[in-house]
Amino acid sequence: MKFRPCIDIHNGKVKQIVGGSLQDEGDKATENFASEKGADYYANLYKRDGLKGGHIILLNPVTSKYYEQTLKQAQRALRAYPGGMQIGGGVTHENAAKYLEAGASHVIVTSYVFNGGKICWDRMEALKREVGKEHVVLDVSCRKRMDSYYIVTDRWQTFTEVALDEKILEELSSYCDEFLVHGVDVEGKSFGVDKDFAALLSAYEGNPITYAGGIGSLEDLEQFGQLTKGKIDFTIGSALDLFGGRLPYEKVRKYHT
């Protein structure tokens, strides 16, 4: 179980937001934290501490007036820590290679391959051909509906028809190197892990998974390790003191064994 750090960028600033609050119209989100430091500051910190495999997420769509500012912040982070971080947000088979050339170890993809509510296998194939599965992370972040967890897209605003389970993860595994999964219903709220969701993920035996959502204390972190049998990596955003929270980064970063 390893700590994977994050850099979320919205409207040209490093931020932590409440999961599910993003709105493309007006570029709005409920913020937990907005940093005055640039994305490269955090990338340099993670590089100093040897934390590899974290993710940079561009939270503005390409159509946003803030997109270029957000992209520039992301590029600064990639230059600061080449090969050390993954990047996601608007990635397609047409632009994936440029992010790898800019210094990303992997590209993170959601909406492009889960389009129109369904899995677009042709786009999966195109992405795999373009950069190789070893450079692809599939973001299968979910929200709960009834008794199942459904993959959500478009910055977590749109439900797909795809309910996440072991079978789906196995089918998708041949197109990616890792999975990134946000428990969107608890993301950014720091009031505990979604236990049922964590248990579902830990039942899968395959590609590495990084989970985000709800870890707000060292007790939550220990519980997460027990629920997942130490098989799943984790990321923490809003709860970290780096982003205005109470959980000490210096303690959390030591979970990298």
Side-chain angles (χ1 to χ4, degrees):
M1 184 174 82
K2 296 180 181 179
F3 170 52
R4 305 282 199 103
C6 64
I7 304 173
D8 293 347
I9 309 170
H10 182 246
N11 294 359
K13 284 182 171 288
V14 174
K15 291 184 182 179
Q16 287 295 315
I17 66 166
V18 175
S21 71
L22 274 170
Q23 298 177 41
D24 288 348
E25 185 176 351
D27 297 295
K28 296 176 182 178
T30 302
E31 297 176 6
N32 281 325
F33 176 83
S35 179
E36 293 305 313
K37 296 182 173 68
D40 54 329
Y41 167 84
Y42 295 97
N44 277 313
L45 180 64
Y46 303 151
K47 180 180 179 181
R48 182 201 73 183
D49 293 335
L51 301 176
K52 299 195 75 172
H55 56 274
I56 301 165
I57 302 294
L58 289 72
L59 292 174
N60 292 104
V62 176
T63 54
S64 168
K65 66 179 180 180
Y66 295 102
Y67 177 76
E68 288 301 321
Q69 295 175 47
T70 293
L71 179 61
K72 286 178 182 177
Q73 283 285 349
Q75 291 168 334
R76 287 170 60 180
L78 292 176
R79 286 195 297 270
Y81 194 4
M85 299 198 74
Q86 307 164 356
I87 189 167
V91 175
T92 71
H93 81 277
E94 294 177 331
N95 63 19
K98 79 173 185 180
Y99 289 116
L100 299 179
E101 292 164 3
S105 65
H106 296 69
V107 290
I108 304 168
V109 189
T110 312
S111 300
Y112 176 65
V113 293
F114 298 101
N115 189 261
K118 302 178 185 299
I119 300 173
C120 298
W121 297 107
D122 57 335
R123 292 185 175 187
M124 293 273 199
E125 290 285 358
L127 189 64
K128 184 177 177 179
R129 285 196 304 270
E130 187 65 28
V131 297
K133 72 182 289 288
E134 67 274 15
H135 293 298
V136 176
V137 176
L138 288 181
D139 184 339
V140 289
S141 296
C142 291
R143 303 182 79 166
K144 194 171 187 178
R145 176 179 278 176
M146 302 297 287
D147 294 325
S148 298
Y149 292 89
Y150 287 84
I151 296 173
V152 288
T153 63
D154 303 318
R155 289 154 300 283
W156 308 332
Q157 297 170 87
T158 305
F159 274 89
T160 69
E161 300 171 10
V162 184
L164 197 69
D165 57 24
E166 290 179 69
K167 181 182 177 183
I168 290 294
L169 288 170
E170 189 60 40
E171 289 177 0
L172 295 173
S173 66
S174 60
Y175 294 92
C176 67
D177 192 42
E178 300 181 7
F179 293 107
L180 173 63
V181 189
H182 292 78
V184 177
D185 294 321
V186 295
E187 171 70 10
K189 297 178 182 177
S190 300
F191 56 46
V193 173
D194 185 329
K195 300 180 182 64
D196 292 338
F197 194 37
L200 182 156
L201 296 174
S202 67
Y204 167 71
E205 301 283 350
N207 290 0
I209 295 176
T210 299
Y211 169 85
I215 298 174
S217 67
L218 292 175
E219 290 74 21
D220 288 341
L221 192 48
E222 290 299 320
Q223 183 187 57
F224 175 77
Q226 293 168 8
L227 286 167
T228 61
K229 305 177 182 65
K231 296 191 300 182
I232 298 179
D233 293 344
F234 67 95
T235 189
I236 302 175
S238 300
L240 276 186
D241 56 3
L242 282 183
F243 303 117
R246 295 181 296 176
L247 197 50
Y249 166 76
E250 289 300 321
K251 290 188 177 181
V252 173
R253 74 178 179 87
K254 294 176 182 178
Y255 284 83
H256 203 74
T257 56

